[in-house]
């Protein structure tokens, strides 16, 4: 696997674990709905994530939490584009855009974004074509169902086999559209249509996905799987569990860790990386 990924005008070095900081631009992320305040708050948060060591900022305007209200394409564009432009101007970090919308992918790419992160793995109509046009790397994430209903009754015969088959199918679809295989990253999608047991199996057997010979991205930060392990701990009490999950993921082959807690995660995964290299 080539451990150097070209992300627009920047190169991402994956020879040691990379931290992707989460920058959510959803109305409920801010106490005041005003545009200027939203932009200001987003930039302050971006500054913190970069200072803590994020190599990538993942900017998203659609909450994929169960029961979140869906956003329209126009709402996504209105929320994201000013933030992308301002972040691009101020920071030298790679920007990833968390979207499933073809129009958002194209608009973001024209403003200098370096990576597409699609929780629907380019299954929305027109997404394969738009992603191909951008020439950017793409993270294909697995999700069973849709965000509104995905946690109702997730079911698999064999979670590893089914997600592997899904990756094979999506990689083929990308290649048929002219997207080079080496532009792809894979993500099993912790918490997206999975029970705690499915998530634990995926974490324990993450190394099975190394057969694809593509970079693996994981995101477990603050998720309900951690709350369940901790017998109902609320979101703000899940940091230490998230750090140990991130370190285990890196030990089992993850290259990129998506997190809200950049500094702590960077330090936790450094231990796993040191062990792998010892
Ligand atoms: C947007 N988003 C929320 N959780 C995520 C995860 O686990 N992986 C990726 N790629 N994106 C996510």
């Amino acid at each position: 696997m080539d451990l150097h990924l070209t992300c627009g005008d920047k190169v991402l070095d994956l020879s040691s674990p990379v931290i992707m900081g989460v920058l959510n631009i959803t109305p409920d992320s801010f106490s005041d709905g005003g545009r200027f305040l939203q932009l200001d708050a987003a930039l302050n948060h971006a500054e913190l994530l970069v200072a803590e060591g994020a190599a990538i900022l993942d900017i998203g305007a659609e909450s994929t939490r169960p029961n979140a209200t869906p956003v329209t394409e126009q709402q996504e564009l209105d929320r994201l584009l000013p933030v992308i432009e301002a972040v691009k101007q101020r920071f030298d970090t790679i920007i990833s855009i968390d979207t499933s919308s073809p129009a958002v992918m194209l608009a973001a790419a024209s403003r200098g974004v370096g990576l597409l992160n699609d929780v629907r793995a380019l299954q929305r109509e027109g997404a394969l074509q738009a992603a191909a046009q951008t020439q950017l790397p793409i993270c294909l994430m697995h999700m069973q169902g849709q965000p509104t209903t995905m946690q109702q009754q997730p079911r698999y015969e064999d979670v590893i086999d089914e997600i592997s088959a899904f990756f094979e199918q999506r990689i083929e679809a990308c290649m048929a559209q002219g997207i080079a295989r080496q532009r792809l990253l894979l993500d099993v999608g912790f918490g997206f249509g999975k029970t705690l047991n499915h998530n634990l199996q995926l974490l324990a057997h993450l190394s099975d996905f190394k057969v694809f010979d593509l970079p693996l991205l994981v995101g477990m930060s603050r998720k309900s799987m951690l709350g369940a392990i901790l017998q109902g701990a609320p979101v703000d009490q899940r940091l230490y569990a998230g750090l140990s999950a991130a370190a285990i993921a890196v030990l089992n082959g993850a290259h990129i860790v998506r997190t809200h807690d950049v500094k702590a995660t960077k330090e936790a995964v450094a231990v796993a990386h040191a062990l792998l290299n010892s």
Side-chain angles (χ1 to χ4, degrees):
M1 182 196 321
D2 187 356
L3 289 172
H4 292 90
L5 195 64
T6 303
C7 299
D9 58 356
K10 299 190 170 56
V11 174
L12 181 63
D13 179 1
L14 296 172
S15 58
S16 56
V18 162
I19 305 297
M20 170 188 263
V22 178
L23 190 59
N24 282 329
I25 317 294
T26 48
D28 52 11
S29 308
F30 304 100
S31 52
D32 188 300
R35 282 232 175 157
F36 174 73
L37 283 180
Q38 277 204 13
L39 183 60
D40 219 32
L43 286 175
N44 285 339
H45 195 54
E47 188 172 16
L48 173 74
L49 296 172
V50 171
E52 288 191 344
I56 309 170
L57 293 177
D58 190 39
I59 308 182
E62 180 200 8
S63 173
T64 42
R65 262 181 256 132
N67 306 322
T69 323
V71 286
T72 65
E73 196 165 80
Q74 195 55 52
Q75 281 172 322
E76 261 196 273
L77 288 165
D78 291 346
R79 286 184 205 160
L80 288 173
L81 297 185
V83 178
I84 293 170
E85 284 166 3
V87 168
K88 181 80 188 164
Q89 225 176 41
R90 286 168 181 75
F91 307 103
D92 200 28
T93 313
I94 293 170
I95 301 174
S96 157
I97 195 80
D98 155 23
T99 189
S100 300
S101 153
V104 176
M105 289 175 193
L106 292 171
S110 74
R111 284 157 177 86
V113 157
L115 181 70
L116 304 177
N117 176 27
D118 186 1
V119 298
R120 294 177 183 82
L122 304 182
Q123 293 179 96
R124 219 175 240 179
E125 197 182 337
L128 277 168
Q129 292 84 345
Q133 208 178 313
T134 66
Q135 308 274 354
L136 294 173
I138 304 135
C139 177
L140 301 172
M141 199 199 79
H142 174 271
M143 166 165 55
Q144 187 181 83
Q146 290 300 316
T148 41
T149 53
M150 65 190 179
Q151 286 310 102
Q152 282 171 9
Q153 253 180 348
R155 221 176 257 145
Y156 300 83
E157 284 287 314
D158 182 316
V159 69
I160 310 290
D161 284 356
E162 287 180 40
I163 294 179
S164 295
F166 173 82
F167 285 152
E168 266 166 37
Q169 191 265 330
R170 294 317 297 155
I171 292 168
E172 258 179 46
C174 286
M175 290 172 67
Q177 199 59 50
I179 299 172
R181 198 177 189 285
Q182 60 270 24
R183 269 174 62 197
L184 301 174
L185 301 91
L186 304 176
D187 184 340
V188 298
F190 287 102
F192 284 83
K194 281 121 191 152
T195 62
L196 173 59
N197 186 44
H198 297 139
N199 288 316
L200 290 174
Q201 283 185 62
L202 287 167
L203 184 55
H205 296 280
L206 197 66
S207 59
D208 289 10
F209 297 96
K210 285 186 193 173
V211 291
F212 288 98
D213 201 31
L214 291 172
L216 300 176
L217 191 154
V218 294
M220 287 175 279
S221 170
R222 302 185 184 176
K223 285 192 180 170
S224 59
M225 62 179 278
L226 306 172
I229 292 167
L230 300 175
Q231 268 115 41
V235 171
D236 64 355
Q237 306 282 312
R238 297 175 186 168
L239 172 64
Y240 306 127
L243 299 180
S244 75
I248 294 166
V250 167
L251 271 182
N252 288 345
H255 296 88
I256 303 178
V257 180
R258 184 181 184 276
T259 181
H260 303 81
D261 303 292
V262 169
K263 182 173 188 287
T265 305
K266 197 171 168 148
E267 291 177 3
V269 302
V271 179
H273 182 61
L275 198 60
L276 286 174
N277 278 359
S278 64

